[in-house]
Amino acid sequence: MIGAHQPQKKSRAVLVTLIRWAAALAVFAILFHFLPVAPLRTALSKVPPIRFAIVLIVYLCAHAVGIAKWRMVVNTAGSQLDFSTSAQCYLGGLFGTLFLPSIIGGDVVRLAVGLRRSPRPAAVLAGNVVDRFLDVAAQATLVLLGLLLLPGSLPGQFSAPARKILLIFAALIFCATLSLFVLRKTILAGRSRHFLRRFARLRHALRSVRRRPHILAAGWLMGVLIQGTFILLNALLAISCGLFEPFRVWLFAWPLAKLAALLPLTQGGMGIREAMLVALLLPFGAAAPLVLAAGLAWEGIIIAGGLISGCAAFLIRRFDRIGS
């Protein structure tokens, strides 16, 4: 019976992946329909191959810092992973974002390797949750910094709606967190002993991280550095496309667009990120075709980086097997 269910699960996973790729293509088709294609094509042709290659190299270097950050956090939780295994987890996750729903889909690949290789799987899960939280906190920090640096906070026609959206978003997060805290006993009631033991290990791993606030602070700072580097690279690609916006505007808009890509609607957040970026930059006077061109150039960086990361993870695994 178990074997019979395996093909069904694989077929369902393939179907879901195809649907999300179709959704991403549909979003791009809508954008191409409403935006003039000629300026978009011209803007993309202005990106020099050498600049694209340099941006790709810096992008991969930033992710090398991400490997160190992820390993630091999960090992603080007690996972006991070496750098080689951590690199396989992290790079495999980057590759997985190309085939799994939303940005978080890559976490499935990270955990698949980490849970199998670590003597304390609960620590890997807890550490990955904390690392993802630090990434979100880093992006929120950059959004807040962008808001503070914007002259007059935001353009007049955009100020009130943006503040309302941010307040609603913060209120929803607060309510969800409060609800989980209040209903935690109800949620755990009736669970099996096996589940409760696993949950206890997860809670212990989270406490291990919480007892080291300097690790959390270091992880947050590294996250700000990594996300800030991505914003700078995106802004450089936009300049090549002919889009000139102050860096403080990118600090505000780009992290919000990336957070929107967390929604599991399209493959790796493709299309959602670009549409959100167009919507956020339009009030600042940015030309929509140029914004979309910059977004497509960045998608090229993500796809190329994901493919290179997948090859690197495969080679590291081969070398580890040969060495053992």
Side-chain angles (χ1 to χ4, degrees):
M1 292 297 294
I2 295 177
H5 286 299
Q6 290 297 329
Q8 293 180 0
K9 290 183 178 179
K10 290 182 179 179
S11 300
R12 189 180 306 164
V14 171
L15 178 61
V16 170
T17 300
L18 291 175
I19 290 175
R20 290 195 166 103
W21 269 109
L25 294 176
V27 174
F28 281 124
I30 293 172
L31 290 172
F32 293 151
H33 176 73
F34 287 102
L35 298 178
V37 178
L40 174 65
R41 188 186 302 115
T42 302
L44 285 173
S45 65
K46 291 181 179 179
V47 180
I50 185 64
R51 173 167 289 192
F52 185 89
I54 292 173
V55 168
L56 177 59
I57 292 171
V58 178
Y59 173 82
L60 294 173
C61 290
H63 276 302
V65 178
I67 295 173
K69 176 175 73 72
W70 189 81
R71 179 172 180 258
M72 177 183 68
V73 175
V74 297
N75 279 354
T76 301
S79 64
Q80 302 176 22
L81 294 178
D82 58 23
F83 188 82
S84 175
T85 302
S86 299
Q88 289 181 54
C89 294
Y90 190 95
L91 296 173
L94 289 180
F95 180 71
T97 58
L98 302 179
F99 305 99
L100 295 172
S102 88
I103 296 174
I104 298 179
D107 289 1
V108 176
V109 179
R110 291 189 196 182
L111 293 173
V113 179
L115 294 177
R116 189 171 62 249
R117 301 284 291 275
S118 172
R120 297 183 60 191
V124 178
L125 178 59
N128 191 77
V129 170
V130 173
D131 183 74
R132 181 59 66 181
F133 172 79
L134 291 174
D135 285 341
V136 174
Q139 292 172 23
T141 301
L142 293 170
V143 171
L144 179 60
L145 181 60
L147 284 171
L148 293 175
L149 292 177
L150 286 175
S153 185
L154 287 171
Q157 72 274 23
F158 192 53
S159 179
R163 286 197 181 96
K164 288 182 181 178
I165 292 173
L166 291 174
L167 287 174
I168 292 173
F169 184 70
L172 288 174
I173 293 178
F174 175 78
C175 291
T177 305
L178 182 63
S179 299
L180 287 174
F181 179 77
V182 173
L183 300 175
R184 66 188 188 284
K185 292 183 179 180
T186 305
I187 295 173
L188 295 176
R191 298 288 183 176
S192 65
R193 291 184 177 179
H194 182 64
F195 174 85
L196 293 176
R197 280 198 298 268
R198 287 190 171 184
F199 182 77
R201 295 192 193 104
L202 176 62
R203 186 171 57 183
H204 176 73
L206 287 172
R207 286 177 177 173
S208 298
V209 180
R210 191 176 62 186
R211 285 195 293 265
R212 295 173 174 84
H214 62 285
I215 296 294
L216 294 175
W220 169 73
L221 288 174
M222 293 171 74
V224 171
L225 173 64
I226 294 168
Q227 299 301 325
T229 301
F230 293 161
I231 296 174
L232 178 60
L233 295 177
N234 208 140
L236 290 175
L237 286 176
I239 291 174
S240 298
C241 294
L243 177 62
F244 299 89
E245 288 290 337
F247 186 67
R248 57 183 179 271
V249 174
W250 286 102
L251 282 175
F252 163 73
W254 194 87
L256 285 179
K258 188 172 182 180
L259 287 174
L262 294 175
L263 297 173
L265 302 176
T266 62
Q267 195 62 35
M270 295 179 183
I272 299 294
R273 180 170 40 242
E274 287 73 24
M276 188 69 174
L277 195 60
V278 170
L280 288 169
L281 290 180
L282 276 179
F284 295 95
L290 299 184
V291 177
L292 181 56
L296 290 176
W298 184 251
E299 283 293 354
I301 295 293
I302 292 176
I303 293 173
L307 294 175
I308 293 173
S309 298
C311 293
F314 174 77
L315 291 175
I316 292 172
R317 184 178 180 184
R318 285 289 298 271
F319 289 147
D320 281 352
R321 287 183 174 179
I322 295 173
S324 58

